[in-house]
Amino acid sequence: MSDIADTLTIPENLSENADARPGSAIMRPVEMVAAALVAFIIGVLLLGVVSRYVFALPFVWVDEVASIAFIWLAMLGAAIAVDRNEHLRLTLFVGMMPPRLREFTETLALTVVAAFLAAMVDPAIEYAVEESYVTSAALNIPVSWRVSAIAVGIVLMGLLTLRYLFKTAPLVDIAAAAVIIGGFGLAFWLLGPTLKGLGYYNILIFLIGVVAACLVAGVPIAFCFGLGTLAFLAFSTNVPMLVMIGRMDEGMSSLILLSVPIFVLLGCILDATGMGKAIVDFLASLLGHVRAGMSYVLLGSLYLVSGISGSKVSDMATVAPALFPEMKRRGYKPKDLIALLSTGAAMADTVPPSIVLIVLGSVAGVSIAGLFNAGFVIAGVLLVALAGLARWKAAAEDMKGVRRAPLAVIGKVALVAAPALVLPFIIRAAVGGGVATATEVSTIAVLYALVIGIVLYGGIGPRKFYQMLVETAALSGAILVILGTALAMAWALTQTGFARDLATFMANLPGGWLGFMAVSIVVFMILGCVLEGLPAIVLLAPLMFPIAKSLGINDVHYAMVVVTAMNIGLMAPPIGIGFYIACKIGNVSPDEAMGAIWPYLIALLVGLVVIALVPGLSTWVL
């Protein structure tokens, strides 16, 4: 369970007759290999950490071996995510359609995915063949051993999509969808000579129009980006599709991203062992007796638990069941609980080890240590804004029968929570202090959480641990395919010269860097509503960060502003995906909660304005 799922959540079913589709039996061998790859990557990275820091004897091949295993994990995990229907997609518009139109649109979305994957098979194989002539630096083996994973993953995803399509959709709908897609393809091909002379209008047609149409139809976001880029390159340029595979490979292969599946697994361990609940219980014993105290506990728990799991979904699922019953007894309305939960989760997304920060550091070239150091402070600013509003709204809280917890009880729960409490600070200190990389720290954190979880919080059985490894593979694959296709799309935008002209336009906005910052906030809030965190970051970071730097804005400061803006958009109804996740976790109707969230979003906006206007809040630790 990660951000992108934050990510990053399991989307609505592709078909009304497919309830929470479980993994199919024919995918069991693939799941076993993927689970083994997760365990193997952690083992290899731990070996590298021990050899480097304990024996001062670094193994030069560790990163290369981990990189090979990582790309195979990404592609097999993406196939598992297809099989389980766990690729993130926008279902808002599909859900508003009449039943018959919705059924056909879902068939069309599946057919679009199948068509895209079919078109990518040949370039992926060609890319693997080309890379077979290149040997790796440390192992001296053909690079095709690594990149063949892309072709295998694409073929697997395509076969699984076709299998599910023909299993659930009427043949007449499949035929109609194929005719529509083929008709558009033929029209674009016939218009090819004209399209190549349209310049930036092709960006509007393909990278905005095609992508937006696919989003509305419920096509998973990764394939929306992929199809838009594929159509743009195929019909308006002479660039071979081989290049797009190369850009996808580049987007999924950064060594920084190795920490993503490991932090995803860490979130699973947090859920399974109850380490997060221990933190919640400790804070409740300290603050539960004061007015608005339970609001403080909820916000503080999200702040601290996020530092362990790196996942908004995991955070909310840990905190809500533990606190909501008592808060309702004290007179809190369910809609206010959802408002506080969702905006608190948005606040906590800058707390290390946020996967969004890790990905942002990778795609924008920003120091992970700097982001981790600043993230604690920025989340603290937003925490103060939300806590102030919660205190004002708690004037009518029913405190009858509420008593301060005895010191003996506080001491007992503190002792139980202590091992969990120190973990986020270990992560922050190790990365922020330059002692270890985010990837190295993630492996140590997983080992620590496993040992502490088994010894103090209840063990994890072999079956449960295997399921956690498979879920980690599926979620990581879904995240990394989005990164690959989004970076390919960003590269296509850059090659047109659009990035250069955008930089010139943005640099000349009225108000200098403040004007640019204001526009950035609006853009990332809108994209946060529609695309969720990671896709928005990956798509725009390569374009926007160079402009910010040219205007004298510090990279870490700008990162804190755009991540916060994106998360506010993520929780803003009626489109924000995160808002609906919070409603589902709290079992409250979105219609009921929608009116209550706006004061909390305004509090976050006030905090965001302060963060944007005071760069020192982000940069004082650098």
Side-chain angles (χ1 to χ4, degrees):
M1 294 165 296
S2 140
D3 279 315
I4 182 159
D6 276 324
T7 49
L8 359 178
T9 58
I10 299 177
E12 296 295 323
N13 301 321
L14 287 179
S15 173
E16 292 180 3
N17 60 3
D19 293 330
R21 187 162 96 229
S24 60
I26 63 171
M27 285 294 287
R28 294 293 184 265
V30 176
E31 292 178 354
M32 293 174 64
V33 173
L37 284 171
V38 176
F40 177 76
I41 288 172
I42 294 173
V44 168
L45 292 175
L46 279 174
L47 175 64
V49 171
V50 171
S51 67
R52 181 176 303 164
Y53 293 106
V54 177
F55 300 107
L57 184 66
F59 295 133
V60 295
W61 47 265
V62 164
D63 285 348
E64 199 167 288
V65 169
S67 176
I68 295 172
F70 182 58
I71 192 69
W72 278 95
L73 168 66
M75 298 311 299
L76 295 182
I80 295 170
V82 168
D83 187 53
R84 295 178 168 210
N85 188 25
E86 292 183 0
H87 279 280
L88 184 70
R89 67 190 189 112
L90 182 65
T91 58
L92 175 69
F93 300 105
V94 175
M96 296 167 59
M97 297 176 182
R100 182 67 186 98
L101 179 59
R102 180 168 64 246
E103 182 182 348
F104 176 73
T105 304
E106 289 172 342
T107 300
L108 178 63
L110 279 170
T111 310
V112 165
V113 173
F116 167 73
L117 292 169
M120 298 305 293
V121 170
D122 187 62
I125 294 174
E126 184 182 354
Y127 182 69
V129 172
E130 289 290 329
E131 292 295 302
S132 67
Y133 300 108
V134 183
T135 56
S136 62
L139 298 177
N140 199 32
I141 60 175
V143 175
S144 56
W145 287 27
R146 184 181 68 82
V147 301
S148 295
I150 300 175
V152 171
I154 287 173
V155 170
L156 263 178
M157 286 189 284
L159 292 175
L160 289 167
T161 302
L162 288 173
R163 172 179 172 270
Y164 186 68
L165 178 63
F166 283 100
K167 182 179 179 181
T168 61
L171 286 177
V172 64
D173 284 1
I174 297 174
V179 168
I180 291 173
I181 296 169
F184 273 103
L186 179 61
F188 285 140
W189 180 74
L190 293 173
L191 291 171
T194 303
L195 291 172
K196 290 177 181 177
L198 291 181
Y200 287 166
Y201 286 107
N202 287 315
I203 295 175
L204 184 63
I205 295 170
F206 296 109
L207 300 184
I208 296 178
V210 170
V211 172
C214 290
L215 282 172
V216 169
V219 176
I221 290 176
F223 304 110
C224 293
F225 290 160
L227 186 65
T229 307
L230 173 67
F232 175 79
L233 295 178
F235 300 121
S236 68
T237 74
N238 295 315
V239 176
M241 293 304 103
L242 175 75
V243 176
M244 180 177 170
I245 297 291
R247 300 288 73 76
M248 290 174 59
D249 178 24
E250 182 181 336
M252 295 185 289
S253 298
S254 171
L255 287 176
I256 295 175
L257 298 177
L258 273 170
S259 58
V260 170
I262 305 174
F263 278 129
V264 171
L265 178 60
L266 186 61
C268 293
I269 295 172
L270 169 70
D271 285 342
T273 59
M275 293 176 73
K277 187 178 183 304
I279 293 176
V280 174
D281 292 342
F282 170 65
L283 292 177
S285 70
L286 283 179
L287 301 171
H289 63 282
V290 303
R291 189 170 300 279
M294 296 306 289
S295 295
Y296 301 155
V297 172
L298 187 149
L299 293 171
S301 298
L302 288 169
Y303 185 94
L304 291 175
V305 171
S306 179
I308 301 175
S309 73
S311 163
K312 286 193 290 293
V313 176
S314 177
D315 301 343
M316 291 190 289
T318 298
V319 171
L323 296 179
F324 275 17
E326 173 61 18
M327 296 179 78
K328 289 177 181 177
R329 191 198 69 75
R330 296 193 187 189
Y332 284 84
K333 297 178 180 178
K335 62 182 181 180
D336 289 322
L337 295 181
I338 294 302
L340 193 61
L341 178 69
S342 56
T343 52
M347 166 270 299
D349 206 33
T350 63
V351 178
S354 166
I355 292 176
V356 169
L357 293 185
I358 294 169
V359 172
L360 177 58
S362 171
V363 300
V366 184
S367 164
I368 300 293
L371 293 175
F372 276 21
N373 279 326
F376 272 105
V377 178
I378 296 307
V381 173
L382 302 174
L383 176 65
V384 169
L386 290 174
L389 176 62
R391 181 69 178 85
W392 177 72
K393 291 178 73 68
E397 183 177 351
D398 182 8
M399 301 298 292
K400 187 184 301 182
V402 177
R403 298 287 183 269
R404 182 193 299 268
L407 287 177
V409 173
I410 296 175
K412 182 179 179 180
V413 294
L415 187 63
V416 173
L421 279 168
V422 301
L423 184 53
F425 298 100
I426 291 174
I427 293 171
R428 183 261 178 188
V431 178
V435 175
T437 66
T439 302
E440 292 169 339
V441 170
S442 65
T443 58
I444 297 171
V446 164
L447 183 62
Y448 174 90
L450 271 176
V451 173
I452 294 299
I454 291 172
V455 173
L456 295 181
Y457 298 103
I460 302 172
R463 181 179 179 83
K464 176 65 176 176
F465 188 63
Y466 171 76
Q467 292 172 347
M468 289 161 55
L469 292 175
V470 174
E471 181 60 31
T472 297
L475 189 52
S476 301
I479 293 171
L480 292 165
V481 170
I482 289 176
L483 298 185
T485 55
L487 274 178
M489 184 171 169
W491 172 84
L493 279 169
T494 302
Q495 296 307 301
T496 63
F498 174 77
R500 179 190 64 248
D501 293 342
L502 177 66
T504 302
F505 171 76
M506 298 289 276
N508 293 322
L509 283 172
W513 74 271
L514 285 175
F516 172 75
M517 193 71 85
V519 171
S520 296
I521 288 172
V522 173
V523 168
F524 276 93
M525 283 181 61
I526 293 172
L527 285 179
C529 282
V530 178
L531 293 182
E532 210 273 336
L534 291 179
I537 285 292
V538 177
L539 189 59
L540 278 189
L543 302 178
M544 301 293 275
F545 272 78
I547 303 172
K549 184 175 291 187
S550 71
L551 292 172
I553 302 174
N554 181 274
D555 281 347
V556 173
H557 176 214
Y558 188 62
M560 293 297 108
V561 170
V562 299
V563 169
T564 303
M566 180 196 69
N567 282 318
I568 293 174
L570 177 67
M571 296 298 175
I575 299 178
I577 299 169
F579 169 72
Y580 295 101
I581 299 171
C583 290
K584 184 175 182 180
I585 289 173
N587 195 27
V588 175
S589 166
D591 294 338
E592 181 183 355
M594 198 170 293
I597 196 174
W598 295 109
Y600 295 92
L601 290 175
I602 291 172
L604 286 181
L605 278 171
V606 171
L608 174 57
V609 170
V610 172
I611 293 164
L613 294 178
V614 186
L617 291 171
S618 304
T619 61
W620 71 275
V621 292
L622 301 181

